[in-house]
Amino acid sequence: MVSSLFNDTLLVNTQSHDYPIIITQNSDMGAQIAPYIRGKQVLIVTNDTVAPLYLEPLQTTLSHDFDVAVCVLPDGEQYKNQDSINQIYDVLMTHHFNRDVTLVALGGGVVGDMTGFAAASFMRGVDFIQIPTTLLSQVDSSVGGKTGINHPKGKNMIGAFWQPRMVLADMSTLTTLPARELSAGLAEVIKYALIMDADFLTWLEEKLPAMMALDLAVLGEAVKRCCSYKAKVVAQDEREAGQRALLNFGHTFGHVIETHEGYGNWLHGEAVAAGMVQAAVLSEMLGWLNQSDVIRIKNVLAQANLPTTPPLIATETALGLMGHDKKVKRGQIRLILLKSLGEAVLTTEFATEQLRDVLTPATC
Amino acid sequence: MVSSLFNDTLLVNTQSHDYPIIITQNSDMGAQIAPYIRGKQVLIVTNDTVAPLYLEPLQTTLSHDFDVAVCVLPDGEQYKNQDSINQIYDVLMTHHFNRDVTLVALGGGVVGDMTGFAAASFMRGVDFIQIPTTLLSQVDSSVGGKTGINHPKGKNMIGAFWQPRMVLADMSTLTTLPARELSAGLAEVIKYALIMDADFLTWLEEKLPAMMALDLAVLGEAVKRCCSYKAKVVAQDEREAGQRALLNFGHTFGHVIETHEGYGNWLHGEAVAAGMVQAAVLSEMLGWLNQSDVIRIKNVLAQANLPTTPPLIATETALGLMGHDKKVKRGQIRLILLKSLGEAVLTTEFATEQLRDVLTPATC
């Protein structure tokens, strides 16, 4: 399949500043990001999977104009912790870098979240730039300013809202992405269709084969649409007081799966996929979706090679794990459910017994 | 000496929200802060020096209306590190606290800085309230939203800007403050006079004996003045792009002393006092101050029982330690110096040789 060249820029408005998401392919990464680096110091943070693929040309180009340091972390959600943040701090301190430094996150969501939090907390905040190299991070982490790490007792418990100076989403990086991770990214793409735009769901049902076959133009179009949806929501609600919570559709259920199975065993997108089915089944119990809607959701997820059932977790265990979720408001569990395909709500309008049913193995 | 009752409130404007500083004495702390707690969960963070003095009545009052947890950290600047932050996170997680929690910092600047940073980074930001129990934290940490911890290689290297919901400065807490720490706080009070208001310097020269004798009304008046000065500066420049840097007068020199001597051996205020004299001497070298100004500065600091000479530090060592300071802009050391008494500037208008002279032992 021949890809047509995709090249587009999206401007994201935030309370602190506006920044561009450049969506492109086969780019000279260093040349693309250089105009957005305000000082002379650069720290590239990446992991040992991505480094061999993309670090060297980026580092070489930037070294012409900047004092460049590198921090290569081990790959994996299990390293999204305080130790990794401390490694980043140590490199910054060893190089005598100061407030002028720009941190560049080269990698997936884990690298982006950690680099962002290090940028938010080093000297009370320095610049950072994202170069997301996974579909998940291109659609999910590029917009919204959420940064952070996991606590041993809960995912993303430590962090900050911190906006990047720019995001470079080079679709070519998806050619080196394992198929399983491409699918995990598609879970988030499908999420946007389910919560915001039923027409986009129809578009995806048609385009998913091309996306799975790495048609970079179609993938670029999908990334752009998802970033636009998210930017619109985030602009209204940067600190997640209301509307923004809807973006967590499937995530409360998904977090239970990830926490129970141990970070990294289920990919985030896989857990969200199974979680979205659980949320859809609960929505059906409330009469908001009909059975054919739920089947359609399962089918589109299956089309993307995603799981549609959660792993076996005892009901009480799952309920207990939900108690730690940030969506809990004064003890009452609030969930994002679907009023219809393309329309999500944050709600407590379900009986605990119904939630228990959905969490009980073999219900979904 | 009989203290007249002091009770005043100052409203601080910040980019994120406005909050009050209530300056009072003999207050029921719990009753004072309760109206500013928005959820049902409270974590009081304090240290093992302050806890025996003020924790019990505060905890008892708050327990009537809130789910109250306590985290007692060891006292001292040497504990202002990631381990202490992790202890705070652990208590929050163990109690299943969520975004609704309010953290209450009961103690001096170290407790306030750490609690603020934990609040800024727990679940990407929760409420916090300050109850500063030292003069230093009452005048310095109550305004500005600076929170953070030390890195083994540098002071306050990790942190965030995060504003409290309110500050309760109860002057009665100064009656249990060691005299050495009262003096350390007076260093910051004197700083405001030197950088912003020569009339306040005259006021202090007259009132220092009463302040040293714990006249709470006079101390309250001084705290209010200092907080007003700082609030005015911070409102114009929350993220320290320009004007706000002037508040660090004496701090670049002071940080060298603290880092070299090991955190906690010289009190922050003592280091700042000696640092202000060094900055004043450099200002005199540039012809901005005359010799009598420098003598007057030394005298007012001596009146407050503060050191006016730094410890012995080799010149090159001191210069090297300055390289890590946040006031370094693209490799060029910038310092806050006095154009005249009551007027500070951030400047590079000094020869390295002059700076070297000031840093050379026995010059000041």
Side-chain angles (χ1 to χ4, degrees):
Chain A
M1 185 175 295
V2 178
S3 282
S4 58
L5 186 73
F6 189 88
N7 202 321
D8 211 335
T9 299
L10 199 73
L11 195 69
V12 182
N13 310 110
T14 76
Q15 281 176 14
S16 59
H17 60 271
D18 298 345
Y19 69 88
I21 301 176
I22 297 176
I23 305 168
T24 185
Q25 61 195 74
N26 295 317
S27 69
D28 176 342
M29 290 178 179
Q32 290 277 359
I33 71 169
Y36 300 91
I37 299 171
R38 300 194 291 181
K40 297 307 281 179
Q41 305 164 349
V42 173
L43 171 64
I44 303 170
V45 180
T46 186
N47 67 36
D48 51 16
T49 302
V50 175
L53 299 169
Y54 301 108
L55 177 59
E56 196 271 329
L58 174 64
Q59 188 177 359
T60 302
T61 305
L62 290 178
S63 295
H64 297 318
D65 296 308
F66 305 98
D67 179 6
V68 182
V70 172
C71 178
V72 181
L73 298 167
D75 185 15
E77 176 90 20
Q78 66 271 40
Y79 300 105
K80 187 174 160 179
N81 57 26
Q82 192 64 52
D83 286 347
S84 296
I85 296 293
N86 290 342
Q87 281 186 54
I88 299 174
Y89 292 151
D90 288 345
V91 176
L92 287 163
M93 293 300 293
T94 302
H95 281 77
H96 291 219
F97 280 173
N98 57 37
R99 280 185 189 161
D100 288 334
V101 71
T102 293
L103 271 59
V104 177
L106 174 68
V110 171
V111 166
D113 284 4
M114 291 196 294
T115 308
F117 182 51
S121 55
F122 183 65
M123 292 191 168
R124 302 196 193 92
V126 298
D127 283 357
F128 92 113
I129 286 172
Q130 300 243 42
I131 307 181
T133 60
T134 65
L135 181 58
L136 175 60
S137 57
Q138 287 165 353
V139 300
D140 193 49
S141 316
S142 300
V143 184
K146 281 192 183 181
T147 71
I149 54 174
N150 300 324
H151 185 274
K153 290 185 180 165
K155 204 168 138 61
N156 292 323
M157 284 291 151
I158 314 304
F161 285 95
W162 198 246
Q163 303 292 346
R165 281 284 141 194
M166 69 93 69
V167 176
L168 175 64
D170 188 321
M171 293 299 110
S172 313
T173 57
L174 301 184
T175 61
T176 54
L177 191 68
R180 187 178 164 199
E181 291 199 39
L182 187 75
S183 291
L186 290 171
E188 294 284 341
V189 175
I190 292 165
K191 180 195 77 179
Y192 283 99
L194 299 181
I195 64 170
M196 293 191 73
D197 189 350
D199 290 342
F200 185 41
L201 182 60
T202 308
W203 188 89
L204 283 175
E205 285 165 334
E206 184 194 327
K207 301 287 191 184
L208 268 170
M211 293 164 81
M212 304 284 284
L214 292 176
D215 182 324
L216 300 188
V218 176
L219 284 163
E221 175 65 27
V223 167
K224 189 191 161 196
R225 283 200 192 206
C226 292
C227 288
S228 303
Y229 290 130
K230 186 163 182 182
K232 213 167 74 181
V233 174
V234 170
Q236 291 163 15
D237 180 23
E238 193 163 316
R239 300 203 69 87
E240 196 163 341
Q243 188 70 14
R244 182 165 178 174
L246 303 183
L247 298 174
N248 290 323
F249 178 62
H251 284 59
T252 300
F253 291 101
H255 280 186
V256 170
I257 297 172
E258 287 185 281
T259 307
H260 186 264
E261 301 297 304
Y263 298 136
N265 294 316
W266 273 59
L267 296 181
H268 178 69
E270 293 168 345
V272 167
M276 290 194 293
V277 174
Q278 291 179 293
V281 169
L282 187 52
S283 306
E284 186 193 352
M285 286 179 182
L286 297 171
W288 295 345
L289 296 186
N290 56 45
Q291 201 185 358
S292 66
D293 293 331
V294 175
I295 289 170
R296 199 174 157 198
I297 291 172
K298 286 185 182 179
N299 283 346
V300 75
L301 292 169
Q303 230 186 322
N305 275 343
L306 285 162
T308 56
T309 50
L312 280 177
I313 304 174
T315 313
E316 294 308 316
T317 306
L319 272 173
L321 289 170
M322 274 197 173
H324 263 310
D325 192 274
K326 291 187 287 294
K327 264 69 65 189
V328 175
K329 186 86 181 166
R330 301 191 187 174
Q332 166 74 55
I333 294 176
R334 301 188 302 169
L335 291 170
I336 300 128
L337 301 179
L338 297 182
K339 275 283 183 184
S340 64
L341 287 180
E343 187 197 359
V345 287
L346 180 63
T347 183
T348 57
E349 289 181 47
F350 52 87
T352 306
E353 208 43 56
Q354 292 173 310
L355 172 59
R356 198 182 294 269
D357 277 359
V358 171
L359 289 173
T360 300
T363 302
C364 293
Chain B
M1 188 174 298
V2 177
S3 283
S4 57
L5 187 72
F6 190 86
N7 203 323
D8 211 336
T9 299
L10 200 72
L11 195 69
V12 181
N13 310 110
T14 77
Q15 281 175 15
S16 58
H17 60 270
D18 298 345
Y19 69 88
I21 301 175
I22 297 176
I23 304 168
T24 185
Q25 61 194 74
N26 294 317
S27 70
D28 176 342
M29 291 178 180
Q32 290 275 358
I33 70 170
Y36 300 92
I37 299 172
R38 300 194 291 180
K40 295 307 282 178
Q41 306 164 348
V42 172
L43 172 64
I44 303 170
V45 180
T46 186
N47 67 35
D48 51 16
T49 302
V50 176
L53 300 169
Y54 301 108
L55 177 58
E56 197 272 329
L58 174 64
Q59 188 177 359
T60 303
T61 305
L62 290 178
S63 295
H64 296 318
D65 295 309
F66 305 98
D67 179 6
V68 181
V70 171
C71 179
V72 181
L73 298 167
D75 185 16
E77 178 90 21
Q78 66 271 38
Y79 300 105
K80 187 175 161 178
N81 58 26
Q82 191 64 53
D83 286 346
S84 296
I85 297 292
N86 289 341
Q87 282 186 52
I88 299 174
Y89 292 153
D90 288 345
V91 176
L92 288 163
M93 294 300 293
T94 302
H95 281 77
H96 291 220
F97 281 173
N98 58 38
R99 280 186 190 159
D100 289 333
V101 71
T102 292
L103 272 59
V104 176
L106 174 69
V110 172
V111 166
D113 283 5
M114 291 197 294
T115 307
F117 182 50
S121 55
F122 183 64
M123 293 193 166
R124 301 197 194 90
V126 298
D127 283 358
F128 92 113
I129 286 172
Q130 300 242 41
I131 307 180
T133 59
T134 66
L135 181 59
L136 175 59
S137 58
Q138 286 165 353
V139 298
D140 193 49
S141 317
S142 300
V143 184
K146 282 192 182 179
T147 71
I149 54 174
N150 299 324
H151 185 275
K153 290 186 181 164
K155 204 168 138 60
N156 292 323
M157 285 290 152
I158 315 302
F161 284 95
W162 197 245
Q163 303 292 346
R165 282 284 142 195
M166 70 92 70
V167 176
L168 175 64
D170 188 321
M171 293 299 110
S172 312
T173 58
L174 300 183
T175 61
T176 54
L177 190 69
R180 188 177 163 199
E181 292 199 37
L182 186 76
S183 291
L186 289 171
E188 294 285 341
V189 174
I190 292 165
K191 180 194 76 178
Y192 283 100
L194 298 182
I195 65 171
M196 294 191 71
D197 188 350
D199 289 343
F200 185 41
L201 182 61
T202 307
W203 188 89
L204 284 173
E205 287 166 335
E206 183 193 328
K207 301 286 190 186
L208 268 170
M211 295 164 79
M212 304 284 284
L214 293 176
D215 182 324
L216 300 187
V218 177
L219 284 163
E221 175 64 29
V223 167
K224 189 192 160 194
R225 284 201 192 205
C226 292
C227 289
S228 304
Y229 290 130
K230 186 162 183 184
K232 213 168 73 180
V233 173
V234 169
Q236 292 164 14
D237 179 24
E238 194 164 316
R239 300 204 67 87
E240 196 163 342
Q243 187 71 15
R244 182 165 177 172
L246 302 183
L247 297 175
N248 290 322
F249 177 62
H251 284 59
T252 300
F253 291 101
H255 281 184
V256 170
I257 297 170
E258 286 185 281
T259 308
H260 186 265
E261 302 297 304
Y263 298 137
N265 294 317
W266 274 58
L267 296 181
H268 178 69
E270 293 168 346
V272 167
M276 290 194 294
V277 175
Q278 290 178 294
V281 169
L282 187 50
S283 307
E284 186 193 352
M285 286 180 183
L286 296 171
W288 295 346
L289 294 186
N290 55 45
Q291 200 183 1
S292 66
D293 293 329
V294 175
I295 289 169
R296 198 173 159 199
I297 292 171
K298 286 186 183 180
N299 283 347
V300 75
L301 292 168
Q303 229 185 322
N305 274 344
L306 285 161
T308 56
T309 50
L312 279 178
I313 304 174
T315 313
E316 293 309 316
T317 307
L319 272 173
L321 289 171
M322 276 198 171
H324 263 309
D325 192 271
K326 292 186 287 295
K327 263 67 65 190
V328 175
K329 185 86 178 166
R330 298 189 189 175
Q332 166 73 54
I333 295 176
R334 301 188 302 170
L335 291 171
I336 300 131
L337 301 179
L338 296 182
K339 277 280 183 187
S340 64
L341 287 181
E343 187 196 358
V345 286
L346 180 62
T347 182
T348 58
E349 289 180 50
F350 52 86
T352 306
E353 208 43 56
Q354 292 174 309
L355 173 58
R356 198 181 295 268
D357 278 356
V358 172
L359 290 172
T360 299
T363 302
C364 292

